[in-house]
């Protein structure tokens, strides 16, 4: 009994007591004479440190002069829920980072401050930005979000595998036909018939996070009102294209192949880094993973091929957005900070630290120099593509994205034909959109203006 | 003291003892609960005021194939995993009760998985169940078996989740174990003297005395299954929501998506209240069965 | 023979139950270079305990600070739930009064409503109380008892023979003394379980701290865990698993301490006494 007591006290009591009595307390000291601007973001770790350094600088300089102190809170991937709870509870932060897909929801429900009137005073000139990137934060012609750390999705391909397959590593595929032909040559089969290396697979499992984007590579899946349609010609062709890859390699064989791929994306088991897949559709952070886990990988980056008849190169552009939630406590001070952060030299430091592209048309003189991604200039140039596209700006988008994912998955698993799946998914989408619009009318929200919705969805044109 | 006076005293006494709970209920829980009931009759996109729309959410629910799919998956998971886990846990508890030495170590090892944070659990299993590199399939290969694509195959996804659930029965085991130890030794001795076999003893003595504990576990398991979501959510978040063919898309996954992604909090609330009715019905059934077989000393 | 069989079965089960945790521990000791090995190694070839040092010294996720926060919340919450849940369970199981079953059913029903749909109204209540951004939303509710714990304790109280209460009453004990002197000592195993399970729940919860806390310095360990997955810098698997291991360790110790209580029930304390 006494022995047990001693064990309890030493194992639990002593460390716990020590921690309670002598443990660290709050680390940040907030000056009490300043207005505190709450800034919430999803960036943690290295990314969080980069933004914290900038904020420290603001607090030391402009903030100190003007009596403003920015308090950065990193909420990780759960920021979405936290921000919703805070906004719904009437207690939003002064500045927040918002995922681009959520902008239409927030904007339509009046949860964000429109920024257009403030831009001149903040010294922000929209013309200095890459149009496609600036448009990400625009909804129905009004600016609600500012692009903080944008990126474009490109083709990452393995030069070593290209050479091994007798392909010129300096001439990546440019059309979907070439993509197919190259992929065939890059594919290696083991003696037992199983797939060892694959050129390219449109499976949702092989790092294809943007399963909904394929229709853009075949044409335009948006209708006159800027609404995404999976049953459009482009949508059906994209699903048929997905099915054709499955048929070509065999459903059974592709599944066995997928089985061997690490589901874990950020590690050397990543199929691209493990050299199991030669061509992928991915973003600039790939360079961070590669440098960390497989620094010797010989790869390059180019625009993803296209199946559009006019040969234009569709590019998915996206960005985290800086927004000012409506009803925050210190809107004036928040704008002061926003204006400071959006200065080109300041913001580009952040973009560079995060391995992203610059939202500005002409990046600063040393932006590309010693950028962590050696191909960042290509990523940046892609943002200017006339066929650049972003998340379709629909308040029902998250639901649509899930329905499209189900369709792509079902096609990939052979659970349905492309046409049937497109029709079934579109029916669900139509129902969701109709229900939303009926309720929106009831709430007297601004009706969806056809013309400017299209304009703002089609970024950069 | 008059009879009604005694009753009144008992009533006051009962209220006094349970006061922490009902005070908390009135102050913290009742409001949000009532509000969520009201919201289930509203369109409520979180960022704007709720608008009353009548029973529309409930009507839409019945016609929603995804809701049926999620409900079906959840019920299937419940039907497979609850009996399996209960029997497994009871079996382990019985085993653990047997040895005199080393029991504590075994107990701790079996309880260990319950302590692991759910996010870490999901990550660990992502590694374990990987089709080619995963530990589980490597072990199966030693026995000459080709393991399935646990997490990528629509059929195997559900079985993989049942496996993960079996791995996490530690807390149920502990509850059963405590229950088993409540059974007075004299009863066993008496049964032994009467010449009852092990099976008879278990059925006639152990099981009836354990009834309240088994009831507890059954009810908790039903509730937990309907709120099951963190594990599938973390496993399939990176690739596809709900797993292949939405085969691992659960009730709460859909509720969560409706609430926080589609911003249909009214719809999510309707889902929650239908869920409450389903669980209440099942719980009532469990208690009814429990009363029939229950043991009252 | 039978004993040997039981031991073998237990050993096999234990190994199966431990394997994923060994994966966790071994991953936490693998240097970056080894994480990328295909196929992954079972045990680290060159274990690097430096990972733990780096995790402890990290500025982004200050583990000691978060451990202290978690400890404060967990202790306050545990003390509250043990006291009040036991009392409420006593009222629900050993005292006969009208409306008891109805109220018990209502209590059970509160467990069945998922958190997401009451999250926003709850947030609003805490906001009006001025509790958002403090630890209060995380531990004060525990002092009103938690439905799960009350339910569990009630079920255990039900297994205690009624005669004990009668005897106590004849000896002139009031309900309070019966509760304190007879029921609680007999229910030690159940109380130990409540303590352990509640500890684990609070220790590992990340949704409530996420929603109700406001500042980095107030966060808890489980919440800190989510920050090891950055969006474009990659996840530090070894660090993530190292923190997980550190989170698991105290819970394991608690369990070892408490389990002595729940293997000794009535069987050994003896009711004839």
């Amino acid at each position: 009994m006494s022995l047990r007591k001693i064990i309890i006290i030493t194992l639990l009591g002593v460390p716990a007591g020590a921690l309670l009595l002598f443990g660290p307390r709050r680390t940040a000291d907030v000056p009490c004479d300043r207005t505190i601007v709450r800034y919430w973001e999803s960036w943690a770790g290295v990314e969080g440190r980069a933004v914290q350094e900038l904020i420290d600088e603001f607090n030391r300089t402009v903030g100190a002069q003007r009596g403003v102190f920015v308090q950065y809170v990193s909420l990780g991937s759960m920021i979405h829920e936290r921000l919703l709870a805070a906004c719904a509870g009437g207690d939003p932060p002064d500045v927040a980072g918002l995922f681009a897909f959520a902008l239409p929801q927030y904007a339509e429900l009046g949860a964000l401050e429109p920024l257009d009137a403030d831009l001149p005073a903040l010294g922000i000139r929209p013309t200095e930005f890459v149009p496609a990137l600036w448009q990400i934060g625009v909804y129905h012609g009004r600016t609600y979000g500012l692009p903080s750390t944008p990126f474009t999705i490109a083709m990452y391909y393995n030069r070593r595998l290209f050479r091994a397959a007798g392909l010129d590593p300096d001439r990546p595929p440019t059309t979907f036909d070439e993509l197919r032909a190259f992929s065939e040559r890059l594919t290696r089969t083991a003696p037992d018939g199983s797939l060892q290396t694959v050129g390219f697979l449109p499976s949702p499992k092989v790092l294809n996070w943007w399963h909904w984007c394929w229709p853009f590579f075949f044409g335009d899946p948006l209708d006159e009102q800027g609404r995404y349609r999976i049953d459009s010609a482009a949508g059906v062709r994209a699903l048929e294209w997905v099915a054709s890859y499955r048929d070509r390699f065999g459903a059974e064989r592709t599944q066995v192949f997928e089985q061997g791929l690490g589901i874990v994306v950020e590690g050397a088991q990543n199929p691209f880094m493990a050299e199991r897949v030669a061509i992928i559709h991915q973003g600039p952070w790939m360079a961070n993973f590669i440098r960390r886990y497989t620094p010797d990988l010989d790869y390059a980056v180019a625009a993803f091929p296209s199946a559009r008849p006019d040969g234009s190169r569709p590019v998915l552009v996206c960005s985290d957005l800086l927004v000012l939630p409506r009803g925050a406590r210190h809107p004036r001070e928040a704008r002061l900070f926003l204006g400071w952060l959006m200065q080109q030299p300041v913001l580009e430091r952040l973009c560079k630290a995060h391995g992203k592209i610059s939202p500005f048309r002409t990046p600063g003189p040393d932006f590309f120099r010693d950028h962590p991604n050696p191909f960042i200039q290509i990523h940046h140039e892609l943002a200017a593509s006339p066929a650049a596209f972003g998340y379709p700006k629909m308040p029902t988008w998250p639901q649509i994205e899930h329905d499209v994912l189900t369709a792509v998955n079902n096609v990939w698993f052979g659970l349905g034909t492309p046409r049937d799946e497109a029709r079934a998914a579109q029916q669900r989408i139509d129902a969701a959109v109709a229900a939303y619009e009926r309720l929106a009318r009831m709430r007297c929200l601004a009706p969806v203006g056809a013309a400017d919705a299209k304009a703002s969805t089609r970024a950069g044109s | 003291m008059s009879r009604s006076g005694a009753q009144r005293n008992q009533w006051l006494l009962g209220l006094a003892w349970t006061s922490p709970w009902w005070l908390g209920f009135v102050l913290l829980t009742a409001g949000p609960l009532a509000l969520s009931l009201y919201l289930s009759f509203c369109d409520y996109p979180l960022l704007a005021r709720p608008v009353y729309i009548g029973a529309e959410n409930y009507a839409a629910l019945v016609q929603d194939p995804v809701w049926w799919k999620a409900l079906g998956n959840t019920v299937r998971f419940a039907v497979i995993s609850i009996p399996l886990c209960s029997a497994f846990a009871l079996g382990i508890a019985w085993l653990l009760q047997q040895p005199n030495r080393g029991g504590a170590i075994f107990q701790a090892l079996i309880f260990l998985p319950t302590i692991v944070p759910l996010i870490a659990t999901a990550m660990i299993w992502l590694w374990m169940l990987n089709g080619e590199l995963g530990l589980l399939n490597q072990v199966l290969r030693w026995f000459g078996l080709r393991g399935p694509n646990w997490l990528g195959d629509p059929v195997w996804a559900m079985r993989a989740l049942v496996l993960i659930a079996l791995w996490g029965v530690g807390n149920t085991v502990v509850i059963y174990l405590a229950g088993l130890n409540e059974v007075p030794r004299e009863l066993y001795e008496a049964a032994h003297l009467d010449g009852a076999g092990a099976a008879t003893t278990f059925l006639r003595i152990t099981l009836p005395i354990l009834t309240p504990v088994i009831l507890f576990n059954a009810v908790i398991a039903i509730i937990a299954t309907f709120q099951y979501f963190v594990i599938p959510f973390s496993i399939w978040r990176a690739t596809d929501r709900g797993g292949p063919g939405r085969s691992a898309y659960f009730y709460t996954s859909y509720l969560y998506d409706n609430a926080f992604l589609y911003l249909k909090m009214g719809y999510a609330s309707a889902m929650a209240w239908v869920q409450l009715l389903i669980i209440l019905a099942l719980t009532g059934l469990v208690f009814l069965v429990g009363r029939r077989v229950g043991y009252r000393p | 023979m039978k004993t040997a069989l039981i031991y073998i079965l237990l050993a096999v089960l234990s190994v199966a139950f431990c394997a994923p945790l060994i994966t966790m521990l071994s991953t936490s000791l693998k240097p970056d270079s080894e994480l990328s090995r295909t196929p992954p190694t079972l045990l680290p070839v060159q274990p690097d305990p430096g990972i733990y040092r780096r995790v402890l010294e990290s500025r982004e996720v200050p583990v000691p600070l978060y451990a202290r926060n978690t400890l404060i919340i967990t202790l306050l919450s545990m003390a509250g739930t043990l006291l009040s849940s036991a009392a409420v369970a006593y009222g629900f199981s050993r005292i006969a009064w009208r409306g008891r079953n109805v109220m018990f059913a209502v209590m059970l029903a509160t467990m069945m409503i998922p958190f997401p749909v009451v999250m926003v109204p709850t947030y609003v209540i805490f906001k009006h109380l001025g509790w958002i951004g403090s630890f209060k939303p995380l531990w004060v509710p525990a002092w009103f008892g938690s439905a799960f714990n009350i339910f569990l304790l009630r079920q255990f109280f039900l297994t205690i023979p009624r005669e004990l209460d009668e005897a106590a009453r004849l000896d002139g004990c009031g309900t309070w003394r019966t509760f304190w002197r007879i029921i609680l000592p007999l229910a030690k195993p159940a109380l130990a379980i409540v303590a352990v399970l509640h500890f684990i729940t609070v220790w590992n919860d990340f949704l409530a701290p996420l929603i109700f806390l406001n500042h980095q310095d107030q966060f808890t360990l489980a919440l800190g865990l989510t920050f090891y997955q950055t969006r474009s810098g990659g996840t530090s698997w070894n660090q993530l698993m190292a923190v997980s291991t550190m989170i698991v360790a105290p819970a394991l110790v608690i369990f070892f301490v408490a389990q002595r209580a729940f293997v000794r029930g009535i069987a050994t304390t003896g009711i004839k006494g």
Side-chain angles (χ1 to χ4, degrees):
Chain A
M1 195 62 196
S2 66
L3 179 72
R4 201 170 140 240
K5 266 189 186 149
I6 292 166
I7 293 174
I8 296 175
I9 289 166
T10 44
L11 276 180
L12 286 173
V14 171
L19 197 60
L20 284 179
L21 290 173
F22 312 112
R25 310 290 159 96
R26 321 200 73 194
T27 52
D29 44 329
V30 179
C32 52
D33 54 338
R34 296 216 227 157
T35 310
I36 291 172
V37 167
R38 300 196 294 165
Y39 172 28
W40 293 359
E41 269 290 2
S42 61
W43 303 317
V46 190
E47 295 167 317
R49 196 185 310 151
V51 68
Q52 183 66 57
E53 274 164 19
L54 288 182
I55 289 170
D56 288 346
E57 189 181 317
F58 172 85
N59 287 339
R60 264 197 320 272
T61 57
V62 182
Q65 291 158 18
R66 308 280 294 269
V68 176
F69 186 87
V70 176
Q71 195 176 47
Y72 177 73
V73 182
S74 156
L75 293 159
S77 56
M78 301 292 285
I79 186 180
H80 186 75
E81 287 81 351
R82 182 67 180 97
L83 193 59
L84 274 174
C87 290
D91 183 28
D94 301 294
V95 184
L98 191 71
F99 296 129
F101 77 83
L103 186 85
Q105 293 177 324
Y106 275 79
E108 248 188 43
L109 294 167
L112 300 177
E113 296 273 354
L115 300 170
D116 300 275
D118 302 313
L119 294 176
L122 298 180
I124 299 169
R125 279 172 294 276
T127 48
E128 288 178 359
F129 289 78
V130 178
L133 299 177
W134 181 262
Q135 284 298 325
I136 293 171
V138 176
Y139 185 69
H140 284 192
R142 292 172 113 180
T143 308
Y144 291 98
L146 304 177
S148 53
T149 56
F151 54 90
T152 57
I153 307 302
M155 171 170 61
Y156 277 70
Y157 66 97
N158 188 316
R159 288 168 55 91
R160 191 186 73 78
L161 290 177
F162 265 55
R163 270 194 300 273
L167 294 165
D168 180 359
D170 295 319
R171 207 196 116 358
T174 57
T175 66
F176 269 38
D177 290 335
E178 273 185 344
L179 178 65
R180 165 63 70 88
F182 280 38
S183 180
E184 303 254 328
R185 290 194 51 184
L186 285 159
T187 300
R188 287 274 171 277
T189 321
D192 65 348
S194 65
L195 295 166
Q196 261 180 340
T197 307
V198 162
F200 174 78
L201 275 187
S203 154
K205 287 240 168 331
V206 189
L207 297 175
N208 294 314
W209 300 340
W210 302 276
H211 47 84
W212 53 268
C213 77
W214 299 126
F216 285 93
F217 288 85
F218 289 87
D220 187 359
L222 303 180
D223 67 9
E224 317 73 64
Q225 284 159 313
R227 295 192 192 122
Y228 182 91
R229 294 197 72 91
I230 188 67
D231 72 342
S232 59
V236 175
R237 278 191 66 198
L239 289 179
E240 283 168 347
W241 170 75
V242 168
S244 77
Y245 268 86
R246 188 202 65 223
D247 294 342
R248 167 63 190 80
F249 293 110
E252 169 80 4
R253 276 201 323 170
T254 48
Q255 278 191 32
V256 172
F257 178 74
E258 280 175 2
Q259 207 179 109
L261 303 177
I263 297 178
V264 180
V265 174
E266 308 136 4
Q269 279 75 22
N270 175 313
F272 182 70
M273 281 145 64
E275 305 203 300
R276 308 271 328 257
V277 177
I279 299 171
I280 55 165
H281 183 233
Q282 267 293 348
W285 44 82
M286 278 308 287
N288 298 349
F289 303 162
I290 292 170
R291 197 176 43 253
R292 177 156 181 198
Y293 294 106
T294 51
D296 300 328
L297 194 77
D298 185 13
Y299 70 102
V301 176
F304 202 80
S306 153
R308 286 200 184 181
D310 59 359
S312 57
R313 302 296 277 273
V315 175
L316 171 56
V317 297
C318 198
S319 179
D320 283 322
L321 295 171
L322 287 163
V323 298
L324 303 184
R326 188 167 275 177
R329 272 174 259 171
H330 308 294
R332 266 216 343 264
E333 291 80 357
R335 282 175 170 79
L336 176 74
F337 171 65
L338 203 60
W340 182 84
L341 186 64
M342 289 303 289
Q343 299 172 91
Q344 181 162 359
V346 178
L347 191 61
E348 282 186 345
R349 264 161 60 199
L350 185 65
C351 297
K352 199 165 173 174
H354 284 203
K356 305 277 179 66
I357 62 175
S358 160
F360 295 93
R361 271 178 206 265
T362 341
D366 52 356
F367 183 75
F368 295 128
R369 210 176 54 219
D370 62 86
H371 189 285
N373 187 320
F375 302 97
I376 199 65
Q377 196 159 359
I378 296 173
H379 275 289
H380 188 262
E381 281 160 9
L382 287 178
S385 162
F389 64 95
Y391 279 100
K393 288 181 181 165
M394 307 169 69
T396 44
W397 178 252
Q399 195 171 354
I400 294 172
E401 193 181 325
H402 288 172
D403 282 327
V404 173
L405 172 61
T406 306
V408 174
N409 253 323
N410 288 355
V411 166
W412 183 251
F413 279 98
L415 302 174
T417 66
R419 235 160 244 291
D420 291 345
E421 286 300 326
R423 197 176 317 120
Q426 189 60 46
Q427 265 171 16
R428 285 196 297 276
I429 295 172
D430 287 343
V433 171
Y436 178 85
E437 284 180 354
R438 197 165 47 77
L439 292 169
R441 268 196 301 279
M442 250 170 66
R443 309 184 154 271
C444 307
L445 290 178
V448 180
D452 66 14
K454 183 85 174 177
S456 62
T457 309
R458 179 91 20 76
S461 45
Chain B
M1 195 180 285
S2 73
R3 194 182 150 77
S4 68
Q7 255 184 3
R8 225 179 86 87
N9 277 349
Q10 280 297 94
W11 187 71
L12 286 176
L13 201 61
L15 277 189
W17 277 97
T18 50
S19 59
W21 177 75
W22 58 255
L23 276 176
F25 177 76
V26 171
L27 293 176
L28 297 175
T29 327
L33 276 182
L35 199 57
S36 83
L37 182 61
Y38 168 69
L39 290 175
S40 74
F41 293 97
C42 292
D43 169 47
Y44 179 37
L46 277 174
L47 299 170
R49 286 179 180 291
V51 172
Y52 183 79
I53 54 168
E56 220 172 276
N57 286 325
Y58 291 93
L61 212 59
V62 187
Q63 293 165 359
D64 181 350
V66 181
W67 181 75
W68 283 107
K69 177 89 186 164
L71 179 63
N73 285 339
T74 307
V75 170
R76 246 190 41 230
F77 183 68
V79 169
I80 304 170
S81 75
I82 294 178
L84 253 174
C85 287
S86 305
F88 190 52
L90 195 55
I92 295 179
W94 184 81
L95 278 178
L96 281 173
Q97 207 203 6
Q98 304 303 316
N100 294 316
R101 305 180 66 90
I105 299 288
F106 288 128
Q107 223 182 87
L109 291 180
I110 282 162
F111 188 71
L112 213 65
T114 339
I115 308 174
V116 182
L118 283 175
I119 302 175
T121 305
M123 294 305 147
I124 293 169
W125 281 99
L126 266 178
W127 282 99
M128 297 281 299
L129 293 175
N130 185 300
E132 202 175 282
L133 311 168
L135 188 63
L136 189 64
N137 280 2
Q138 280 183 28
V139 170
L140 287 176
R141 225 166 291 148
W142 294 343
F143 296 101
L145 297 168
R146 212 187 95 188
N149 184 7
W150 291 96
L151 300 174
D153 185 291
V155 180
W156 281 96
M158 182 71 86
R159 296 175 196 174
L161 291 173
V162 172
L163 193 74
I164 299 176
L166 280 177
W167 183 67
V169 293
N171 44 9
T172 319
V173 170
V174 165
I175 292 171
Y176 276 135
L177 196 61
L180 281 175
N181 282 311
E182 299 279 313
V183 181
R185 284 254 182 273
E186 305 86 78
L187 283 178
Y188 284 131
E189 282 155 19
H192 190 69
L193 287 177
D194 288 349
T200 324
T201 315
F202 184 79
L203 284 177
R204 303 295 292 274
I205 296 175
T206 315
L207 220 48
I209 293 191
L210 273 186
T211 308
V213 179
I214 295 175
L215 281 185
F216 170 82
N217 274 327
V219 172
I220 291 300
I222 292 170
I223 296 174
T225 311
F226 266 88
Q227 297 183 1
Y228 182 68
F229 124 91
V230 177
I231 300 266
F233 178 80
S234 315
I235 288 184
W236 284 287
R237 184 169 44 176
T239 45
D240 42 351
R241 257 196 147 67
R246 274 190 171 139
S247 57
Y249 199 54
F250 288 90
Y251 201 93
T252 303
S253 317
Y254 191 44
L255 188 147
Y256 192 89
D257 283 347
N258 269 302
F260 297 127
L261 277 173
Y262 312 161
L263 300 197
K264 285 155 70 169
M265 189 52 104
Y267 196 68
S269 301
M271 280 185 74
W273 282 87
V274 172
Q275 170 185 344
L276 175 92
L277 290 182
I278 298 173
I279 303 178
L280 268 185
L282 290 175
T283 308
L285 198 71
V286 167
F287 271 107
L288 222 67
V289 173
R291 192 158 297 168
R292 292 288 296 273
V293 301
Y295 162 87
R296 287 273 170 275
Chain C
M1 179 58 207
K2 190 183 151 206
T3 322
L5 197 69
I6 286 171
Y7 272 110
I8 290 168
L9 263 173
L10 281 176
V12 169
L13 279 169
S14 307
V15 170
F17 272 72
C18 278
L21 287 142
I22 292 167
T23 317
M24 177 172 96
L25 193 63
S26 93
T27 311
S28 76
L29 288 167
K30 283 181 187 173
D32 274 3
S33 60
E34 217 176 304
L35 282 176
S36 51
R37 204 73 57 83
T38 327
T41 47
L42 188 59
L43 294 173
V45 182
Q46 285 176 309
D48 177 15
I51 293 163
Y52 281 84
R53 212 196 56 233
R54 255 172 286 151
V55 160
L56 280 170
E57 286 169 358
S58 140
R59 217 158 56 89
E60 283 73 43
V61 185
V63 173
L65 177 67
Y66 288 2
R68 184 170 181 272
N69 295 341
T70 318
L71 191 67
I72 293 172
I73 293 166
T74 312
L75 287 180
L76 286 171
S77 173
M78 247 170 79
T81 204
L82 274 174
L83 277 173
S84 12
S85 299
V88 177
Y90 182 76
F92 275 133
S93 60
R94 316 293 294 186
I95 296 170
W97 49 287
R98 275 179 61 159
R100 183 177 89 168
N101 290 341
V102 175
M103 202 187 257
F104 182 68
V106 172
M107 190 200 75
L108 281 191
T110 60
M111 266 200 294
M112 300 169 191
I113 288 289
F115 182 63
V117 297
V118 289
M119 190 177 99
V120 171
T122 311
Y123 186 95
V124 173
I125 289 183
F126 288 145
K127 193 189 88 174
H128 283 296
L129 291 170
W131 288 3
I132 299 294
S134 78
F135 289 159
K136 285 182 199 133
L138 304 175
W139 65 265
V140 174
W143 286 78
F144 295 110
S146 96
F148 174 89
N149 296 331
I150 295 170
F151 185 22
L152 187 129
L153 287 172
R154 170 193 182 261
Q155 298 303 92
F156 269 94
F157 290 173
L158 284 180
T159 63
I160 299 173
R162 280 238 149 257
E163 297 84 59
L164 289 174
D165 295 37
E166 293 297 318
R169 208 164 55 87
L170 291 178
D171 283 353
C173 288
T175 48
W176 174 251
R177 278 179 60 133
T178 315
F179 170 69
W180 196 249
R181 288 284 172 76
I182 297 181
I183 302 294
L184 276 192
L186 283 178
K188 253 189 197 160
L191 289 172
I193 290 177
V194 166
V196 169
L197 295 185
H198 191 76
F199 177 89
I200 292 166
T201 313
V202 180
W203 192 254
N204 288 343
D205 186 20
F206 70 95
L207 197 55
L210 171 87
I211 299 297
F212 298 129
L213 294 179
N214 258 346
H215 192 258
Q216 217 75 39
D217 291 340
Q218 304 169 322
F219 287 173
T220 59
L221 280 176
L223 190 53
L225 202 60
T226 59
F227 299 143
Y228 281 93
Q229 289 172 296
T230 62
R231 290 177 48 217
S232 53
T235 302
S236 302
W237 291 107
N238 40 15
Q239 296 188 17
L240 183 93
M241 290 303 169
V243 180
S244 299
T245 310
M246 287 194 275
I247 295 181
V248 166
L252 190 65
V253 177
I254 292 265
F255 177 80
F256 261 114
V257 170
Q259 73 165 351
R260 282 291 282 274
F262 50 76
V263 291
R264 289 181 309 165
I266 292 177
T268 46
T269 46
I271 49 168
K272 289 178 297 181

